[in-house]
Amino acid sequence: MTLMIGIPREIAPGEKRVATVPDVVEKLIKLGFKVAVESGAGDAANFSDDTYRAAGAEIIDGAAKLWASSDIVFKVCVPTTEEVGLMREGGTLIDFIWPAQNPELMQQLAAKKATVLAIDALPRQLSRAQKMDALTSQAGVAGYRAVIEAANAFGRFFNGQITAAGKVPPAKVFIAGAGVAGLAAIGTAAGLGAIVRANDTRAEVADQVKSLGGEFVKVEYEEEGSGGGGYAKVMSEGFQQAQREMYAKQAREVDIIITTALIPGKPAPKLITAEMVQSMKPGSVIVDMAAERGGNCELTEPGQAVVKHGVTIVGYTDLTSRLAKQSSTLYATNLFRLTEELCKTKDGIINVNMDDDAIRGLTVIKEGNITWPPPAPKLPAAPAKPAAAKVAAPATKGHGHGGGGAPASGAKTAIMFGVAAALFWFIGASAPAAFLGHLTVFALACFIGYMVVWNVTPALHTPLMSVTNAISSIIAIGALVQIAPPLSLLGGFNRPDSLIRWLALAGIALTAVNMFGGFAVTQRMLAMFRK
């Protein structure tokens, strides 16, 4: 029997997102499902009922009718008690649930014999789960929007400019926390031309900050801050004190602060004190992305933008809804990828496979039984180390037997060195002195060239080789010498015969291609990294 996926209108105050979009409706139908959308569900995100209808969805008036007729419900916000009451018994709900923070909701859903997949409980450490990671996609939107809100509240350009009316310095932006939202904010602010600084308790994100055009500001205190599931952990008091000192210094210097520090299930840590706000320049801006959990700034008022001590403090809790069309599209794609995993047979029926680590982590209630928290996912086993080769015992003299000699490998090495020494002696005894000089330079050039290329990061081999190929075309000078007429300053060498001159001409043509081609390839590769 083909199952019906229902998309209700979100009733949370200020929520403009919708759980699926018309483009994804078509894909869900191809998986074998029927799709029903509550009338007006996508209006706030600029998706009209007509666009859903054109994509093949059924439009249903009224939440009660939609919930009653849906086997599976896709939602964005945590369902209310009233919405749980409308849910069909034994139905399936896919939504943000936050089971640790909502134990009463879990009991209500279990009483409905429901199967609940909490999109926020996805085991993010599994690489194949990234396509379903709605937390990441929504955090990226929020980080981008935070910079837009900061630019809106800020009194001048982000990028520096020199105009006839005077010089405008670039804005200085400090971002506290370099998770998904923080990295999105770094990239956006750097793209607008600001000087961007960032800090995070996890030292490994420093390279990511630099790659996006930011400067990583390190806390002068050694402590690792990585927690589970891609989040930071709560740091020691000593680290927090050193961090506060660093934040105080940044507050005095920068124009904009964007805070993203949040640990699931805990109040937002207070990073920006009232004294720090007071020390900031008039007209500065703070965007507190943790406002929903109390805020990282002591003066944040959740849901509002206020001005205190001449500083605008933005505490909006609906940053993703302020880009409703984009965030809805990304969220709908995450849910579609999850649905693909649940319906691999493409027959419109889902299979909640509890043996699948990703699905098991998401499933917080299975047919009325609370299954949260899940066991730790089975991570791939580390590759086994190759067994150490057994070292043969040295042969010893015995009664009636000869003594054991040196290992075979040692003997071969000695023979090779002996042959090489004899060969070099022969060349040195019979070859002219000029040849020996050239041979020595050639051997040294091969050794140095090999070591230079061998010690370069593999990612740089292609641009490195293109440049070295161009530079190595200095051999064209040798060809020019061969093709040129005798010159007295060269010691009066004999004019080369016809064959040598033609070979030299061919060498010049080939090295010219190598020379110009090497620099052209390098230029094109470097252009890929320029804006």
Side-chain angles (χ1 to χ4, degrees), residues 479 481-486 493-506:
V481 169
Q482 294 298 328
I483 205 171
F493 63 86
N494 296 326
R495 180 183 296 275
D497 59 22
S498 178
L499 177 60
I500 292 178
R501 300 187 75 177
W502 282 109
L503 289 174
L505 184 62

Side-chain angles (χ1 to χ4, degrees), residues 183-349:
L183 292 174
I186 292 167
T188 305
L192 289 174
I195 297 172
V196 184
R197 304 169 185 172
N199 168 261
D200 196 280
T201 58
R202 298 161 294 182
E204 67 268 18
V205 304
D207 290 338
Q208 299 175 34
V209 171
K210 295 174 184 175
S211 70
L212 289 170
E215 174 193 351
F216 188 79
V217 182
K218 193 174 183 296
V219 176
E220 297 301 326
Y221 192 97
E222 294 299 327
E223 182 177 351
E224 177 53 45
S226 295
Y231 295 99
K233 70 176 185 180
V234 178
M235 306 300 287
S236 69
E237 181 55 38
F239 181 92
Q240 292 181 37
Q241 177 60 35
Q243 187 182 53
R244 281 192 291 269
E245 293 173 0
M246 182 269 290
Y247 283 156
K249 179 182 177 183
Q250 294 299 319
R252 292 190 297 270
E253 296 179 0
V254 302
D255 304 297
I256 295 168
I257 296 178
I258 298 175
T259 65
T260 70
L262 197 60
I263 299 173
K266 298 181 181 294
K270 299 299 181 186
L271 305 178
I272 309 299
T273 64
E275 291 77 13
M276 294 180 196
V277 175
Q278 198 166 4
S279 71
M280 295 180 73
K281 292 173 280 190
S284 298
V285 178
I286 296 174
V287 180
D288 193 340
M289 295 183 63
E292 190 173 2
R293 301 290 298 174
N296 296 135
C297 176
E298 287 184 347
L299 303 182
T300 296
E301 295 185 15
Q304 299 183 48
V306 296
V307 178
K308 297 185 178 180
H309 305 297
V311 177
T312 302
I313 304 172
V314 179
Y316 297 146
T317 58
D318 60 346
L319 291 172
T320 49
S321 280
R322 289 170 181 261
L323 282 172
K325 188 166 188 175
Q326 181 66 76
S327 53
S328 297
T329 301
L330 293 173
Y331 183 64
T333 302
N334 294 140
L335 295 191
F336 168 68
R337 295 303 180 191
L338 171 57
T339 308
E340 282 185 318
E341 294 294 318
L342 295 171
C343 182
K344 294 182 178 179
T345 54
K346 298 184 179 180
D347 57 359
I349 299 174

Side-chain angles (χ1 to χ4, degrees), residues 3 83 112 155 195 424 445 476:
L3 300 180
E83 288 176 317
K112 280 281 188 177
I195 297 172
F424 278 111

Side-chain angles (χ1 to χ4, degrees), residues 76-115:
V76 179
C77 296
V78 176
T80 64
T81 301
E82 292 75 15
E83 288 176 317
V84 174
L86 297 175
M87 187 176 180
R88 173 189 290 186
E89 187 161 337
T92 299
L93 174 66
I94 302 178
D95 190 8
F96 282 104
I97 299 296
W98 306 107
Q101 288 82 44
N102 297 294
E104 294 181 4
L105 173 64
M106 294 283 286
Q107 294 296 332
Q108 294 169 9
L109 290 166
K112 280 281 188 177
K113 306 295 182 186
T115 296

Side-chain angles (χ1 to χ4, degrees), residues 398-447:
H399 297 290
H401 296 280
S409 59
K412 288 181 180 179
T413 303
I415 292 171
M416 289 176 61
F417 271 106
V419 171
L423 181 61
F424 278 111
W425 176 86
F426 176 76
I427 293 173
S430 58
F435 177 79
L436 289 177
H438 291 314
L439 180 62
T440 303
V441 172
F442 175 75
L444 290 174
C446 289
F447 175 76

